[in-house]
Every structure is written in structure tokens, then in C-alpha cells.
Amino acid sequence: MGATKTDHFTDQQNELATLAKALGHPARVAIIEYLIKVDTCICGDIVNELPLAQPTVSQHLKELKNAGLIKGSIDGNAVCYCIDDQTWKRFHGVLNAMFTSFLEKSSTCC
Amino acid sequence: MGATKTDHFTDQQNELATLAKALGHPARVAIIEYLIKVDTCICGDIVNELPLAQPTVSQHLKELKNAGLIKGSIDGNAVCYCIDDQTWKRFHGVLNAMFTSFLEKSSTCC
DNA sequence: TTTATTCATTGCAATATTACGATGAAGTTT
DNA sequence: AAACTTCATCGTAATATTGCAATGAATAAA
């Protein structure tokens, strides 16, 4: 095996898993943090920020893009990356719902 | 390869990645959701909730435990699982910081 | 003590991920 | 045009993940 059985779970569960998985690598966390830090789009220089080779970074960017967390648009011979507002907010919403629904139930066990 | 180069990233980045990765599978999302829903610890019956075989569920529980998201304590011949308060709150905090720091910078690009 | 029950572990097969060198595509610069 | 820059893609190797049948460990129930 090695293939996830997505069929048996809800769309919500699968989407949350996809987004979380996209963040599930330190390089991709670093990319997102950097995109937030510099405020605007990044047109280049992401590779210089990471301790990884260019093809590897490109692959991580592709995965973030597939998950919907970032967008990329071509600008001359550079590419412009930025966080995808919509997905990011949805991600925030779903996670916040989980977090708060846990905090509300102050279970006294264990 | 196939091994993540954790050495080159900060501890914070690695921990966030570890936690996100733990949530990066629909079965594990479902487990966490269920743990929140039933409020108290689960002593058994997690397997019945999931469309997966018992060893597979056991493995997912182990990964959630390794990441620190849940705790498990032995209770007779059942095992009692519940969400780890501390880790959960830290996870919440780190993600919330990311989310809000993004929202503050209403970048007008792309 | 024998039999269930509950969960973990082992072992295996299939697939996915991570990383990078080499190469390609497409624009820019000289 | 020729050389350069920037990024994607291909190919490949190493490792990780996913899933389950079989088995084991440990308590509970008969």
C-alpha cells in the first residue's frame, strides 16, 4: 500500500488533511513564513532563503500550489508567488473551529 | 533520498511541521475530531469509528502520540486516549500567530 | 484455567515523499 | 544571435508512509 484511503472520509476531513500535509514540512513552513514576512509577492529569491537546491524548492512550491495555499503568476522571466487569501482563510477557519470547540469542552480526564 | 533535512531549519519550523504533518491524514483528522466530540477520553471504540483495520488505526494513534497531539494511558485492558492540552494549545498559538500576522499585512499584490 | 477482549507490534507489499543533477523552456541582456 | 537568468520538469536514488494479516502481550470474564 502507501496510498491514502480518501474515499472513506468526508470532504472536509480530506481538505483539512491536504492543507495540513502541505504545511507538514519545515521547508514549506519556511516558505510560508517568508511569504508572510516580506508582505508582497516574492518574485525570485526564495531559493536563496532556503538550504535546499533549486529543483527541491521548486517541488515544494508546487506542492503548496497544489494544496491551494499559494498562487504563482509569471512575470517576465521571474515567477511571482504569494499566499492564496481564500484558501488561507478557509484553513484558518476550519482549524480555529477545531481549536475552540476543544477549548469549550474543558474535559477533566486523564 | 526521502529523508527530510530538519537540521537546516529552526526548532519552531520543525515542530510546526511535525504537528501539521500529524494532522496531514484524513484518518488522523477524524480521530482528533472524534476525541473532541466525545469530550472525555476514549477508552476503545475508535476502531469502530474508522473505516480502517485495527492495526492501521493503532499506527495512526501512535503517530499522533509521537507528535505529542494526544496522550494515552492504560486503564485495565483498554487504553484511554485524549488530546494533549499543552501541545494542542501550543499548536493553536503558533498557527494563530501565522494567520493573524498574515491578515495584518493586507498585501495588495497579484 | 481456559477463553475472550483489547490493543500493540512485526513483517510485508505498494505507493508516496524528499532531494538533487541534468536538462529544458522562456524570457533578458549584451 | 549568443550568452545569461530564472524557474520547471525529468530521471533517479534513498527513505517514509500507508495498510493489513498474523501474531503477541496483558487484562478481564467464564
Side-chain angles (χ1 to χ4, degrees):
Chain A
M1 300 279 168
T4 296
K5 281 187 156 185
T6 54
D7 300 6
H8 303 95
F9 299 97
T10 69
D11 288 351
Q12 273 207 338
Q13 288 169 336
N14 280 317
E15 199 199 2
L16 177 50
T18 299
L19 294 173
K21 194 175 180 180
L23 256 188
H25 191 290
R28 295 195 288 268
V29 169
I31 289 172
I32 294 290
E33 283 179 351
Y34 187 61
L35 281 175
I36 290 175
K37 194 182 99 188
V38 298
D39 202 351
T40 54
C41 289
I42 296 300
C43 298
D45 75 353
I46 289 189
V47 174
N48 302 326
E49 288 291 317
L50 297 178
L52 296 169
Q54 181 266 325
T56 308
V57 174
S58 192
Q59 199 173 321
H60 283 304
L61 287 167
K62 191 179 171 187
E63 274 167 60
L64 286 170
K65 212 168 159 185
N66 283 343
L69 279 178
I70 67 174
K71 292 183 291 188
S73 57
I74 299 169
D75 171 28
N77 105 2
V79 175
C80 197
Y81 285 110
C82 60
I83 290 179
D84 186 315
D85 238 62
Q86 296 239 321
T87 312
W88 192 247
K89 280 173 183 162
R90 205 165 59 249
F91 191 21
H92 186 183
V94 175
L95 277 177
N96 238 31
M98 269 185 95
F99 283 128
T100 57
S101 79
F102 170 67
L103 293 177
E104 282 166 5
K105 311 191 174 189
S106 53
S107 48
T108 53
C109 66
C110 297
Chain B
M1 303 280 169
T4 296
K5 280 188 158 183
T6 53
D7 301 6
H8 303 94
F9 299 96
T10 68
D11 287 350
Q12 273 207 338
Q13 288 169 336
N14 281 317
E15 199 198 3
L16 178 51
T18 299
L19 293 173
K21 193 175 180 181
L23 257 189
H25 191 289
R28 296 195 288 266
V29 169
I31 289 173
I32 295 288
E33 284 179 351
Y34 187 60
L35 281 176
I36 290 175
K37 194 182 100 189
V38 298
D39 202 350
T40 54
C41 290
I42 297 299
C43 300
D45 75 350
I46 289 189
V47 173
N48 302 325
E49 287 292 316
L50 296 178
L52 296 169
Q54 180 266 324
T56 308
V57 174
S58 192
Q59 197 173 323
H60 283 305
L61 287 167
K62 190 179 171 186
E63 273 168 61
L64 286 170
K65 213 167 156 186
N66 283 342
L69 279 178
I70 67 173
K71 292 183 292 187
S73 55
I74 299 170
D75 170 29
N77 106 2
V79 175
C80 196
Y81 286 109
C82 60
I83 292 179
D84 186 317
D85 238 63
Q86 296 238 320
T87 313
W88 192 247
K89 279 174 184 163
R90 203 165 60 248
F91 191 21
H92 186 184
V94 175
L95 277 177
N96 237 33
M98 271 185 93
F99 283 129
T100 57
S101 79
F102 170 67
L103 293 178
E104 280 167 6
K105 311 192 174 189
S106 54
S107 48
T108 53
C109 65
C110 298

